[in-house]
Amino acid sequence: MAAEGEPKERWGEFYRRYYKNEIGKVAQGEKSSLVVDYGDVEKYDPDLADDLVLHPDETRSAAKDALGDFDIAADVSLESAPVRFSEFYPKTGIRSIRSDDVNKLIAVEGIVRKATEVRPKVLEAAFECQRCGTLTTVEQSGQEFSEPHQCRGCERQGPFRLLEDQSDFVDAQKLRVQESPEGLRGGQTPQKIDVNIEGDITGEVSPGDRVTATGVLRAIPDDGSTTFEIFIEGNNVEIEDQDFEDFEITEEDEESIREIASSPNLYEKIRDSFAPSIHGYEEEKLAMILQLFAGVKKDLPDGTRIRGDMHILLVGDPGTGKSQLLQYAQKIAPRGIYTSGKGATSAGLTAAAVQDDFGDGKWTLEAGALVLADKGIACVDEVDKMDQNDRSALHEALEQQQVSIAKAGINATLKSRCSLLGAANPKYGRFDEYEGIAEQIDLEPALISRFDLIFTVTDNPSEEEDANLAQHILQTNYAGEVAASGEDAGEEMRDIEPDIEPELLRKYVAYARRECNPTMTDEARERIEDFYVDMRSQGGDGDAVPVTARKLEALVRLAEASARVRISDKVEMRDAERAIEVTTASLDQVGRDPETGEFDIDVIESGTSQTQRDRIKGIKEIISVVSEDSDDGKASLDEIIELAEEHDMSPEKTREEIDDLRRRGELIEPEQDHFRLV
């Protein structure tokens, strides 16, 4: 029922009915501002709610005056307490803002891309006339600092001195809010808008946070042009920290998802719906599907956190479709960002302190791709092409899932709780299965070891496979030609049409991640434990280590993701088996010693296999013995090779290890083909 009377009286009655307790908390100092739910205003008085939207300045002023006059303890004043509005609806898309919205109250959703430091802003400046000493106050309402036009006492035009202690200041901050990636489709460029906030809501958000910003849309002239720049004069900023809560899934969608989840060939159906135009790669596609669904993050009682996100690296020959797989993953992910490492810096991938016009020349924080992909997936192509210093910034982002900034006096930690799907090319063009992976890609072992799964995508000639691939590519192109000509390509498109439409698959992933937090059954836990212990037992004293505890955590994440695919809250034996199958497929490709064929995790973790370490140790011992026996304390290459052959080391491998020892500074060559240990 709408109230009657002046706006101030209506606000007063509204407070008495709905917010008496909240106002009491503000009066006691528990809260610094009164936060009002817009839905309560609309329920109490729809006309007042409409006035708040259409005439926000006058209506908010009346709301503030009513709060200042609220009947509270005599020694308490609420005149300076701001009134903020939350849960405002309907939300306005940043790209949907139009001239009709100027000077109206709106709410926008997005990601904070940049944020300035909190700085004092003067609201009312006090000036003293240097001639007669008269005090004059000037309200600061525009973008530029204003001084008195003339003195009230002597009526002269200054000079004036600003009195900071008698001026009225407030904390101020500027945010740049960008559209969320899940709302963008078809290669749209994300649009952004600046939000100016003041008071107790400053300093609460960081770049990468998902927020709803409520405020009045303002327009200012753009350097004398007839086109105006817009910004939001912020009234409230709410941090949205829910997983995919804003992803709209109808009852019809939920019914379709449940129907798919009950399919007998569920995993094959989803796998075949992932990049159907790319032929083959069943294991890699299944792994990427599990990466999209992700494991469950765990916050432990001691404050530590176990990530649920998985990181996958694809390494392989050029022209094998790695980039298309990455782009399709970004397309299917409810929250996904795609970028190429070739043109990316560490700041572009993680975060940066930048100095630009946004902060009026001051240092500001800007979020990069991994921070913007928080709670989603970041697809980074050509990750090996990044500068080495830039790649080092990825270490913390992948394992701790945070980005630390310490620059220009700014010390901040931003969240990067996302999965990374990376693609890299071998140094020498094509992948060599007889060489260790660390020797073939330009990534340091410490970074490679942070990936849960690594797959090699190779282009090996095979008459049967080549025939199938050729048929698939030609069929795909023919279907595209038929469709482009305007004809019905139904029959031709059947082979490459996904069983599950991409948009429904996106909703499927979002629904599973939002609704399912599976826990491990005893059978699944025992199966994973047995597999891990069995693998470890293959490495005896001094032998290669087949797997480390990192792989055990990866197995748990994969099993949880498998359960989420089934929309299940229980990780069963079949999920554990699927996790083991995927992990074994990855280890088969990159986790074996290329010389012995045995599992050796050090090929990935350290870049040096047990066999290689033994060979290096043997060569160093040979050099040491020969040097001690020689008159000049040096070992000749011929003698080293001769003794190495007695220990079954080929001359080629001996030369390779000697070159490697020289590069690492453990060996010097005083004269040609003569060496001495450092």
Side-chain angles (χ1 to χ4, degrees), residues 50-327:
D50 288 342
D51 287 344
L52 182 62
V53 175
L54 300 174
H55 312 290
D57 294 335
E58 300 89 338
T59 312
R60 286 189 303 155
S61 177
K64 194 173 187 307
D65 290 344
L67 179 62
D69 291 347
F70 196 82
D71 188 13
I72 204 77
D75 58 340
V76 176
S77 173
L78 298 175
E79 289 184 3
S80 60
V83 179
R84 306 198 183 280
F85 296 93
S86 67
E87 303 297 331
F88 186 86
Y89 58 85
K91 306 284 193 303
T92 304
I94 294 177
R95 66 177 57 238
S96 302
I97 293 174
R98 296 293 181 265
S99 57
D100 291 344
D101 297 315
V102 175
N103 293 326
K104 293 180 182 175
L105 191 70
I106 65 171
V108 297
E109 290 179 315
I111 298 178
V112 178
R113 182 64 189 264
K114 292 184 180 182
T116 64
E117 294 178 304
V118 179
R119 288 286 181 264
K121 174 186 174 182
V122 64
L123 297 178
E124 193 173 71
F127 295 91
E128 182 184 63
C129 178
Q130 299 285 69
R131 296 180 184 272
C132 67
T134 302
L135 188 69
T136 304
T137 58
V138 178
E139 187 176 341
Q140 306 292 322
S141 56
Q143 296 290 311
E144 296 182 2
F145 186 66
S146 302
E147 293 191 357
H149 179 64
Q150 65 178 27
C151 175
R152 293 178 182 175
C154 61
E155 297 186 350
R156 296 186 181 182
Q157 295 181 346
F160 300 99
R161 182 169 68 92
L162 176 67
L163 301 177
E164 289 88 351
D165 57 337
Q166 296 188 45
S167 299
D168 187 13
F169 287 88
V170 68
D171 290 330
Q173 189 179 22
K174 189 175 176 183
L175 311 175
R176 177 159 290 171
V177 178
Q178 177 179 296
E179 287 180 294
S180 300
E182 59 264 30
L184 303 176
R185 275 293 160 263
Q188 291 176 321
T189 303
Q191 296 191 9
K192 49 193 176 293
I193 190 167
D194 292 346
V195 182
N196 297 344
I197 56 176
E198 297 176 358
D200 58 315
I201 57 175
T202 58
E204 296 296 315
V205 299
S206 303
D209 285 346
R210 292 168 184 271
V211 299
T212 297
T214 306
V216 182
L217 185 69
R218 303 294 190 193
I220 53 173
D222 183 13
D223 296 331
S225 167
T226 55
T227 304
F228 279 50
E229 288 294 322
I230 57 171
F231 69 95
I232 292 176
E233 188 182 90
N235 169 264
N236 196 18
V237 175
E238 302 163 79
I239 299 177
E240 309 290 344
D241 201 28
Q242 296 297 316
D243 285 348
F244 309 111
E245 286 297 325
D246 54 350
F247 209 86
E248 187 178 347
I249 297 173
T250 63
E251 288 185 11
E252 186 180 340
D253 292 331
E254 187 174 346
E255 189 177 324
S256 299
I257 289 167
R258 292 283 179 183
E259 185 180 339
I260 294 168
S262 62
S263 302
N265 58 340
L266 171 64
Y267 294 89
E268 291 78 7
K269 195 172 186 177
I270 293 182
R271 184 195 64 200
D272 294 342
S273 299
F274 186 90
S277 62
I278 305 294
H279 178 70
Y281 306 131
E282 282 80 6
E283 290 164 346
E284 290 82 353
K285 286 183 179 180
L286 177 59
M288 284 186 267
I289 287 290
L290 295 177
Q291 182 186 34
L292 288 172
F293 282 86
V296 181
K297 68 177 179 69
K298 293 101 178 173
D299 296 305
L300 304 182
D302 63 354
T304 56
R305 181 176 177 274
I306 300 175
R307 62 180 169 92
D309 300 300
M310 287 173 268
H311 306 312
I312 297 177
L313 178 64
L314 302 178
V315 183
D317 301 334
T320 49
K322 298 188 301 296
S323 299
Q324 284 180 274
L325 288 171
L326 262 65
Q327 288 174 344

Side-chain angles (χ1 to χ4, degrees), residues 108 324 365 472 511:
V108 297
Q324 284 180 274
L365 276 178
H472 181 81
Y511 180 81

Side-chain angles (χ1 to χ4, degrees), residues 505-518:
L505 189 52
R506 289 182 78 224
K507 291 179 179 180
Y508 192 120
V509 175
Y511 180 81
R513 292 187 63 159
R514 187 174 72 187
E515 301 295 332
C516 300
N517 288 298

